[in-house]
Amino acid sequence: MKEKRVGNRHPVISFAYGEWERLKEAFAGKSGMEHSGEVWIGTWEALIRCKPELAGAMRPEESRYSDDYVLIEREGSLMLAGKSERAALYAVYRYAQEEWGAHWIYPGEATVIAPDPSRCKKRGEVYSPRMERRGFVFETVNDAAYMKQMIDWLAKNGINELFFTFSLWDQIGGEIASDIVDRGLSVTLGGHSLKFFLDNERGIPYSEAEHPYTSKRQVDFQSLDWQKLLITKVVSYCKHVPNLDRLSLWPEDVAASDAEGFLGSYVQFTEMLHDELLAADINIEVEHIVYNAGLSWSMLERAGAETSHLVDTLLAYWGRDYSCGYEDSPHESDRRAQRALLDWEEALQRSGRKLTIFEYYSDHFMLSSLFPFIPRRIAEDMTYYESLRAHGIVNLVVPNLDKVADYPWKWAHQYNSYVFCRALWDDDIDGIMDDYYQYYAPEERRAIRSLYEELERLLPQLTLWNAPLFPARAVDPEKALAATEEWRERIMASLHDISDSVREQLRQPEIKHGSMPYRFGQHIVARADDLYRRWMKSGHA
């Protein structure tokens, strides 16, 4: 094969050529569809310079986002061209998927090869994501080897951002930075990171926030002295972080005692941070979060306040019932959150700032170790958020915190994570599911699909208890002090139904004993039975 090479190539383009070679060698021969002509990989701008006759094929009027790309075949030549260098890498992966049947289902595992002759090959048409910003948030996953696997997997599935707390980045950033740079992925730093910079400082004013589940205290955002100290440290730190594109520093995860002035003071802090970064010639975006920490609505709702003209908004609603969408939720809390979301969206459209949604599809605290598979909820959410013209969406990954022996949390969250990635590029949930089930042997697929669809039907209903039982969940019977007898009976009925239904699914002979689906199903049955007994006991305490 002959390839066009250029000098002084951008590092992401060099990596893309390397990926092309690796994929071609591994899969093209197996599929019987090896490309034998010239291959060119690069940006649209570079392609037009090299082959001006193709300028019309780029169709810039159809482009929406920085990660748009095209696959062009002309007279035996193949051009994999992206609006950005990272998008050119995506084009390599898309070609491998369409032409050779490559699918990356689980990180760190062998590529699934399932050529599909019926797959539509959009040669010359623009591939475009549904949102510009597509990220995963990692707060506590201090596992560099696993994170390297995730970085590779996320890039192959079209994600463009990794979000870390400062503490986590400080622990593993040096080990994973080159993997991020190779793929041109963006880094966001922040989260609950104020203590990372302030823990060793004395005299920091805190606003006491009484809460039954934590000893955390909220920093007083009306005091300026500590903010100047922190901002100086943040600016110095950011000078040395590769691919850093955004700061998203949040308050502590507790309700603010100063309900009226808290949000405004906090947003002013993020604006100060924005100005100091610019003054230091660090050209990155800054955003503030709005969320109902400790179920405090004053930290989520705009309440008529003006939006910032300098920083963007990240909206995180905790406590949602994932068995339904915003549009059809029977819960006042979900409807109230939707009103807040729509209000922020309308206000940000007027101010010209961007809205990003923060979701919990891979969060083992909110979703618990009775982890629900929610592919259709994720797909429907994407359609809804896209209709609101959201700039982006990020998905939180939280390891399992419940004391459950040998629980495979990395495997469990990956189903939702895969759907999340794919749904950001494709609105065909049935096609996404068909691709996912290629991971399993043909004789297993029907039974495993039946099991997963039962998990999807049964488990999301437990999330409805997160808000009424807060700070407990359905998996915390001893802590659920707010639970009434009626609530206990409803939760126990759900657990009984889960146990019986999943146990019946596991009787299918096609689900092999010892396989991950079988092990996960066994875990769900054992966990549901244990929680049923504990809820029974708590009701007679």
Side-chain angles (χ1 to χ4, degrees):
M1 178 184 301
K2 183 175 64 176
E3 291 187 354
K4 186 176 179 97
R5 300 286 179 172
V6 294
N8 301 317
R9 187 182 291 145
H10 189 283
V12 176
I13 299 300
S14 293
F15 183 80
Y17 269 109
E19 287 291 85
W20 168 265
E21 291 289 354
R22 285 186 284 273
L23 292 167
K24 174 174 64 70
E25 182 178 355
F27 308 126
K30 295 179 181 178
S31 69
M33 293 181 283
E34 181 173 356
H35 183 80
S36 58
E38 179 188 56
V39 176
W40 188 97
I41 303 171
T43 63
W44 291 5
E45 181 181 359
L47 180 58
I48 291 172
R49 286 200 309 268
C50 297
K51 296 181 179 290
E53 70 275 13
L54 293 178
M58 306 309 293
R59 300 184 184 182
E61 71 279 1
E62 296 181 17
S63 174
R64 298 186 299 170
Y65 299 121
S66 64
D67 285 330
D68 291 356
Y69 60 86
V70 293
L71 316 180
I72 301 174
E73 290 184 285
R74 290 285 192 279
E75 300 176 352
S77 295
L78 173 64
M79 279 71 68
L80 306 177
K83 195 172 181 180
S84 63
E85 289 81 9
R86 178 176 60 218
L89 176 63
Y90 293 154
V92 171
Y93 295 141
R94 173 67 70 166
Y95 184 89
Q97 179 184 349
E98 290 186 354
E99 201 70 24
W100 302 327
H103 299 279
W104 298 278
I105 309 297
Y106 286 92
E109 295 193 12
T111 306
V112 173
I113 301 298
D116 182 0
S118 67
R119 182 179 295 278
C120 178
K121 299 175 182 179
K122 300 192 299 183
R123 298 298 183 257
E125 297 182 31
V126 175
Y127 286 85
S128 186
R130 302 174 75 179
M131 300 180 201
E132 171 66 33
R133 181 181 176 190
R134 307 174 307 281
F136 271 62
V137 181
F138 301 96
E139 295 180 321
T140 57
V141 187
N142 186 3
D143 184 339
Y146 171 66
M147 197 61 66
K148 282 174 172 285
Q149 294 175 349
M150 282 295 289
I151 291 167
D152 178 67
W153 181 87
L154 291 169
K156 284 182 167 70
N157 284 286
I159 294 300
N160 62 9
E161 175 191 339
L162 291 104
F163 186 134
F164 304 95
T165 60
F166 276 93
S167 177
L168 181 58
W169 180 262
D170 210 54
Q171 292 167 329
I172 67 173
E175 298 181 65
I176 64 176
S178 63
D179 299 80
I180 293 171
V181 171
D182 283 344
R183 295 160 178 82
L185 303 179
S186 297
V187 172
T188 294
L189 291 184
H192 300 298
S193 291
L194 298 181
K195 285 188 175 182
F196 177 78
F197 294 102
L198 297 178
D199 255 0
N200 295 326
E201 301 294 336
R202 296 182 178 180
I204 303 299
Y206 288 92
S207 173
E208 297 293 340
E210 295 182 5
H211 203 281
Y213 81 103
T214 183
S215 60
K216 293 179 183 177
R217 296 180 300 164
Q218 196 65 265
V219 175
D220 183 358
F221 280 95
Q222 294 186 354
S223 173
L224 294 181
D225 290 342
W226 71 265
Q227 296 182 42
K228 295 176 181 177
L229 173 67
L230 181 141
I231 288 172
T232 299
K233 291 183 175 183
V234 170
V235 170
S236 176
Y237 193 102
C238 290
K239 293 177 180 177
H240 310 291
V241 180
N243 283 34
L244 180 62
D245 282 342
R246 183 179 295 99
L247 281 187
S248 184
L249 269 171
W250 310 339
E252 288 295 342
D253 194 17
V254 292
S257 58
D258 179 16
E260 289 188 9
F262 178 82
L263 187 56
S265 298
Y266 161 59
V267 172
Q268 288 177 3
F269 157 72
T270 62
E271 291 177 331
M272 288 174 54
L273 181 56
H274 168 274
D275 290 342
E276 290 301 317
L277 287 164
L278 278 183
D281 199 27
I282 301 176
N283 187 22
I284 62 176
E285 296 183 352
V286 177
E287 71 183 3
H288 70 88
I289 194 172
V290 291
Y291 69 142
N292 54 329
L295 300 191
S296 170
W297 290 98
S298 64
M299 295 173 69
L300 179 72
E301 293 171 322
R302 191 170 66 90
E306 290 296 321
T307 58
S308 173
H309 288 272
L310 297 176
V311 300
D312 297 322
T313 300
L314 178 66
L315 188 145
Y317 166 51
W318 194 96
R320 183 178 168 194
D321 178 358
Y322 280 105
S323 67
C324 51
Y326 283 106
E327 301 282 65
D328 56 359
S329 175
H331 311 297
E332 171 55 25
S333 57
D334 286 348
R335 291 194 295 271
R336 186 173 180 179
Q338 183 187 30
R339 291 194 294 270
L341 168 61
L342 295 174
D343 181 52
W344 276 105
E345 184 273 333
E346 181 181 357
L348 290 167
Q349 289 292 331
R350 292 196 304 268
S351 69
R353 301 312 307 179
K354 292 172 286 195
L355 172 67
T356 296
I357 307 298
F358 186 101
E359 271 293 358
Y360 301 83
Y361 303 133
S362 302
D363 175 2
H364 266 83
F365 180 75
M366 175 183 274
L367 302 181
S368 83
S369 57
L370 282 175
F371 193 83
F373 292 171
I374 50 174
R376 296 189 184 276
R377 168 57 36 233
I378 293 171
E380 291 173 12
D381 282 355
M382 293 302 163
T383 298
Y384 179 64
Y385 292 139
E386 185 182 25
S387 75
L388 298 182
R389 297 169 290 181
H391 174 70
I393 184 168
V394 295
N395 177 40
L396 177 63
V397 177
V398 172
N400 177 51
L401 302 177
D402 298 331
K403 295 181 179 179
V404 181
D406 301 322
Y407 175 70
W409 72 267
K410 293 175 183 175
W411 179 89
H413 85 78
Q414 207 60 45
Y415 183 66
N416 288 351
S417 294
Y418 176 78
V419 175
F420 174 80
C421 295
R422 288 289 308 276
L424 279 164
W425 288 86
D426 187 351
D427 61 2
D428 178 12
I429 184 60
D430 292 325
I432 294 171
M433 290 292 90
D434 288 344
D435 285 347
Y436 170 80
Y437 285 107
Q438 297 297 320
Y439 178 78
Y440 300 101
E443 65 273 13
E444 298 175 319
R445 290 173 194 161
R446 183 201 59 78
I448 291 175
R449 192 164 195 156
S450 177
L451 169 64
Y452 288 5
E453 288 176 351
E454 194 68 354
L455 295 175
E456 182 180 9
R457 182 182 73 84
L458 295 167
L459 295 180
Q461 63 186 295
L462 295 179
T463 65
L464 73 86
W465 298 106
N466 284 339
L469 295 178
F470 186 81
R473 302 158 296 163
V475 296
D476 302 310
E478 294 81 10
K479 299 178 183 177
L481 304 179
T484 66
E485 189 59 35
E486 178 194 353
W487 291 1
R488 287 190 178 91
E489 291 177 358
R490 289 173 59 188
I491 293 170
M492 289 169 62
S494 294
L495 293 169
H496 184 270
D497 190 18
I498 289 168
S499 176
D500 280 358
S501 298
V502 176
R503 185 180 284 108
E504 182 63 28
Q505 288 287 324
L506 293 179
R507 293 193 176 101
Q508 299 178 93
E510 297 87 355
I511 301 180
K512 298 176 182 177
H513 288 216
S515 67
M516 197 60 80
Y518 186 84
R519 288 173 54 196
F520 186 68
Q522 282 190 314
H523 156 79
I524 295 297
V525 170
R527 188 81 169 116
D529 287 346
D530 175 63
L531 285 167
Y532 182 91
R533 291 188 293 268
R534 288 163 57 191
W535 274 107
M536 177 76 77
K537 183 178 179 181
S538 70
H540 295 86

